[in-house]
């Protein structure tokens, strides 16, 4: 077994590797933020803009951000004061539901608090702080985060662990909350620019974006067809690398069909041929264990496939939450998308094979947060 000291050493090595991959040579820009008055009781810490309180999310919960890129070199900051300031800030909101967003990019050997400090900080946040924390989003995680999480795992309750979500891209953060309300430092925004070649295919990115904005309340979305010629026209544009404006077609079912067609025509299904036999065995798994089995299956996917699957299923989960209007329950979505996500290498699927495929896909949609919520997939090209 790996000892605590070994993990601490490994975490430090991973952090140094992250720094080596940083393309900006360590030059940090000054973040845009509200500047506290010099009479602020924690002005010495608050002036750095490390902790910011933003507007409410879509459910009226306060958004609080912690930005590592705003941390000055350790010799310029009293980390005990930082902890006191964090508690001072949270004390104003812990009686209500609130959300924490941690921007990891910018943490370096020169400005990181010690692991002993992290242990102390976690120990001081008693039940009153954890009770109303609804979600903790870790944005742009790296291998360093995963190692530190393993280091702290014995101290962290399962209930608290379920509140943690890793987010690789700001667009992905937008699936959970309106990040436009957040005070996002320029260094974090620049990560979005460096990752504009993110692994989400443009067809998927654009159809999902359009449907999220204009198709969630459309009855029968994904169950209706569109004019064949329109679909061919759009496919031709994508094949030529030309821009597509779905408003030009006046039919929300066009991007819906394009999305299904894209997934169906992949040479290998998004969830890979290798997963097919495991999906077929799902009916033999005890009902209470099926969600955890699906989670394990997803975690076996290659990282690229996992990221794309998480992006897609997050959207389908959102569609299902509007099922009273659009009539697309997790079960209905599974009937539409199941065979487009997983199939055997021989191509055809018998009627007997459809049931486990539909069950599997329904679980992915309905239990999205459980299935996809805890795998750390380090963002490519981020510190």
């Amino acid at each position: 077994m790996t000892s605590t000291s070994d993990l601490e050493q490994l975490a430090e090595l991973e952090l140094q590797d992250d720094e080596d991959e940083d393309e900006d040579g360590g030059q940090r820009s000054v973040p845009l933020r509200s500047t506290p008055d010099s009479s602020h009781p924690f002005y010495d810490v608050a002036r750095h803009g490390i902790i910011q309180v933003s507007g409410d999310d879509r459910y009226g919960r306060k958004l609080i951000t912690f930005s590592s890129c705003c941390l000055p070199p350790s010799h310029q900051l009293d980390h005990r004061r930082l902890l006191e300031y964090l508690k001072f800030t949270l004390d104003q909101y812990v009686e209500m539901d609130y959300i924490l967003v941690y921007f990891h990019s910018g943490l370096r050997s020169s400005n990181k608090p010690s692991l002993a400090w992290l242990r102390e900080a976690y120990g001081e946040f008693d039940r009153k702080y954890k009770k109303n924390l609804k979600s903790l989003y870790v944005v742009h995680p790296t291998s360093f985060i995963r190692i530190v999480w393993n280091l702290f795992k014995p101290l962290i309750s399962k209930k608290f662990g379920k509140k943690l979500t890793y987010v690789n891209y700001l667009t992905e953060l937008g699936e959970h909350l309106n990040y436009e309300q957040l005070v996002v430092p320029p260094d974090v925004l620049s990560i979005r620019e460096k990752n504009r070649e993110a692994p989400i295919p443009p067809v998927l990115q654009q159809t999902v974006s359009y449907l999220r904005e204009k198709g969630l309340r459309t009855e029968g979305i994904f169950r209706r067809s569109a004019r064949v010629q329109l679909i061919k026209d759009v496919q031709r544009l994508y094949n030529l690398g030309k821009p597509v404006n779905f408003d030009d077609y006046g039919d929300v079912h066009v991007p819906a069909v394009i999305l299904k067609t894209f997934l169906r025509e992949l040479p290998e299904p998004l969830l890979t041929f290798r997963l097919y036999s495991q999906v077929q065995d799902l009916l033999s798994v005890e009902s209470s264990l099926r969600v955890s089995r699906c989670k394990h299956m997803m975690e076996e996917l290659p990282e690229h496939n996992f990221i794309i699957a998480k992006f897609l299923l997050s959207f389908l989960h959102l569609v299902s939450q509007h099922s009273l209007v659009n009539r697309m329950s997790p079960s209905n979505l599974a009937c539409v998308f199941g065979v487009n996500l997983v199939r055997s290498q021989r191509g055809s699927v018998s009627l007997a094979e459809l049931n486990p495929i539909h069950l599997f896909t329904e679980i992915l949609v309905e239990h999205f947060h459980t299935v996809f919520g805890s795998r750390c997939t380090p963002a490519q090209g981020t510190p």
Side-chain angles (χ1 to χ4, degrees), residues 195-243:
N195 284 324
R196 60 187 180 275
E197 300 298 333
I200 308 301
V203 177
L204 204 61
Q205 187 83 256
Q206 292 165 18
T207 52
V208 165
S209 177
Y210 189 87
L211 291 168
R212 187 187 299 119
E213 182 182 352
K214 300 186 178 180
L216 292 179
R217 301 181 65 83
T218 299
E219 185 173 344
I221 193 69
F222 296 120
R223 302 196 76 164
R224 297 185 184 177
S225 59
R227 284 174 50 201
V228 174
Q229 189 56 50
L230 288 183
I231 300 303
K232 288 182 177 179
D233 290 344
V234 174
Q235 287 179 314
R236 185 169 61 252
L237 288 175
Y238 274 119
N239 289 336
L240 293 172
K242 293 185 177 180

Side-chain angles (χ1 to χ4, degrees), residues 177-379:
L177 48 85
N178 181 10
Y179 72 75
E180 299 296 339
Q181 292 188 23
L182 301 176
V183 180
V184 184
D187 285 334
V188 175
L189 290 173
S190 71
I191 297 299
R192 178 173 62 180
E193 294 304 311
K194 283 191 276 186
N195 284 324
R196 60 187 180 275
E197 300 298 333
I200 308 301
V203 177
L204 204 61
Q205 187 83 256
Q206 292 165 18
T207 52
V208 165
S209 177
Y210 189 87
L211 291 168
R212 187 187 299 119
E213 182 182 352
K214 300 186 178 180
L216 292 179
R217 301 181 65 83
T218 299
E219 185 173 344
I221 193 69
F222 296 120
R223 302 196 76 164
R224 297 185 184 177
S225 59
R227 284 174 50 201
V228 174
Q229 189 56 50
L230 288 183
I231 300 303
K232 288 182 177 179
D233 290 344
V234 174
Q235 287 179 314
R236 185 169 61 252
L237 288 175
Y238 274 119
N239 289 336
L240 293 172
K242 293 185 177 180
V244 174
N245 183 355
F246 287 113
D247 284 329
D248 293 343
Y249 301 95
D251 184 359
V252 73
H253 296 289
V254 170
V257 173
I258 289 291
L259 174 57
K260 290 189 298 180
T261 304
F262 170 76
L263 293 169
R264 184 171 61 248
E265 294 182 352
L266 289 173
E268 181 174 16
L270 176 61
L271 302 185
T272 72
F273 291 127
R274 191 169 66 85
L275 214 63
Y276 187 76
S277 61
Q278 296 183 56
V279 172
Q280 290 301 311
D281 292 339
L282 191 60
L283 289 177
S284 63
V285 176
E286 187 179 331
S287 297
S288 62
L289 300 176
R290 286 173 180 169
V291 175
S292 59
R293 175 64 63 85
C294 289
K295 176 180 173 63
H296 177 71
M297 289 159 64
M298 289 296 96
E299 289 176 344
E300 289 185 340
L301 286 174
E303 184 175 313
H304 190 184
N305 296 67
F306 180 87
I307 292 172
I308 296 173
K310 183 175 181 179
F311 175 83
L312 175 65
L313 270 300
S314 172
F315 167 63
L316 296 183
H317 176 73
L318 180 63
V319 172
S320 73
Q321 291 182 313
H322 293 78
S323 61
L324 289 178
V325 178
N326 61 35
R327 308 298 180 190
M328 296 304 292
S329 64
S331 177
N332 289 337
L333 287 166
C335 291
V336 172
F337 280 91
V339 292
N340 294 325
L341 292 175
V342 60
R343 63 180 184 272
S344 72
Q345 206 153 4
R346 68 178 184 274
S348 60
V349 177
S350 69
L351 288 176
E353 293 170 314
L354 284 177
N355 281 342
I357 291 174
H358 289 169
L359 172 62
F360 170 67
T361 311
E362 183 177 352
I363 289 173
L364 298 188
V365 174
E366 185 172 357
H367 300 279
F368 167 78
H369 292 295
T370 300
V371 172
F372 289 91
S374 64
R375 169 169 166 176
C376 177
T377 52

Side-chain angles (χ1 to χ4, degrees), residues 35-48 77-78 80-92:
T35 304
D37 188 89
S38 58
S39 61
H40 191 289
F42 288 92
Y43 176 76
D44 56 318
V45 180
R47 65 192 178 92
H48 296 292
L77 180 67
D78 182 340
R80 181 66 209 178
R81 288 279 291 169
L82 173 61
L83 177 56
E84 291 171 356
Y85 174 47
L86 180 57
K87 291 174 68 175
F88 170 82
T89 304
L90 294 180
D91 280 341
Q92 301 172 58

